[in-house]
């Protein structure tokens, strides 16, 4: 290839890279507009992932963690509001949010607690248990345990008793460490599980509602004690 041609190829490659980074930056910045601006509330619900970040994926059942987390968050918002708690949502649609977007928004609401809603993932389609995570040892632990207790009442997806559980571990997430209020990440169920996939994709919303109710029970217990 001639020198001039090579230069032209490199120039267009550089232009393509620049345009691509601009598009990524634009996509990342759209998150702010999707938050409930100016919201003041008692509880912040944070639906994990979103937009360009699908979270864990169950290819067999066509499920993405980002969609399931938002579905559960919306149900939980309705349950808490019906009980008189003001709720602010970090996202209400399929937006890309950074951890910074999430904790900065939570800190702007004056809320008492932040609950980040996730589903776990594993290459093993039989893996399924519930747990919650805490970051700030003193502030988060009690909330993480209360939400864990709520989730522990969930029926197992395979129909045998209640969900398996794993005791809440600490986790160095910016969402937990940089939020000013007690906060927890709920790894509710494994979206990658075959048994969960069957339930979550059956079109009835029954499993999503069960998860929202279990989270709600834990949150209500915590709020009633504070
Ligand atoms: Zn997640």
């Amino acid at each position: 290839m001639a020198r001039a041609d090579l230069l032209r190829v490199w120039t267009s490659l550089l232009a393509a890279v620049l345009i691509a980074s601009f598009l990524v930056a634009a996509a990342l910045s759209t998150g702010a507009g999707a938050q409930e601006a100016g919201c003041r509330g008692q509880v912040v619900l944070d639906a994990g992932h979103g937009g360009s970040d699908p979270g864990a994926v169950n290819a067999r059942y066509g499920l993405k963690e980002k969609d399931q987390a938002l579905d559960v968050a919306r149900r939980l918002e309705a349950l808490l509001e019906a009980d008189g708690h003001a709720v602010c949502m970090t996202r209400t649609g399929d937006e890309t949010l950074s951890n910074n977007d999430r904790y900065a928004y939570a800190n702007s609401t004056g809320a008492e607690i932040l609950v980040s809603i996730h589903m776990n993932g594993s290459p093993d389609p039989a893996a399924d248990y519930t747990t919650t995570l805490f970051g700030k040892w003193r502030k988060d632990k009690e909330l993480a345990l209360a939400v864990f207790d709520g989730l522990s009442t969930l029926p197992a997806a395979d129909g045998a008793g209640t969900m398996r559980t794993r005791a809440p571990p600490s986790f160095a997430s910016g969402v937990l460490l940089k939020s000013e209020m007690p906060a927890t990440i709920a790894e509710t169920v494994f979206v990658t599980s075959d048994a969960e996939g069957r339930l979550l994709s059956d079109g009835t919303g029954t499993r999503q509602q069960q998860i929202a109710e279990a989270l709600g029970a834990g949150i209500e217990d915590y709020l009633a004690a504070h």
Side-chain angles (χ1 to χ4, degrees), residues 77-161:
E77 177 190 26
L79 289 170
L80 292 173
E81 286 184 344
D83 264 346
H85 304 289
V87 176
C88 297
M89 307 277 284
T90 60
R91 67 178 176 100
T92 54
D94 187 23
E95 288 87 32
T96 305
L97 294 181
S98 67
N99 279 350
N100 180 80
D101 289 334
R102 295 173 201 270
Y103 66 73
Y105 173 77
N107 290 343
S108 78
T109 63
E112 292 172 31
I113 60 171
L114 163 64
V115 178
S116 187
I117 297 160
H118 288 250
M119 289 188 186
N120 226 325
S122 166
D124 174 7
D128 193 20
Y129 61 78
T130 195
T131 193
T132 59
L133 312 173
F134 61 93
K136 307 179 293 295
W137 180 273
R138 285 173 187 278
K139 262 194 177 173
D140 293 353
K141 190 86 188 275
E142 196 182 340
L143 175 63
L145 289 174
V147 174
F148 175 73
D149 284 349
L151 284 171
S152 302
T153 66
L154 261 182
D158 60 11

Side-chain angles (χ1 to χ4, degrees), residues 12-32:
S12 27
L13 197 65
L14 184 67
V17 167
L18 283 175
I19 290 168
S21 355
F22 173 76
L23 289 177
V24 167
L28 289 174
S29 70
T30 54

Side-chain angles (χ1 to χ4, degrees), residues 48-49 53-56 65-66 69 117-121 185-187:
H49 310 278
D53 168 18
E65 181 187 356
K66 66 173 184 176
I117 297 160
H118 288 250
M119 289 188 186
N120 226 325
I185 292 175
E187 292 287 356

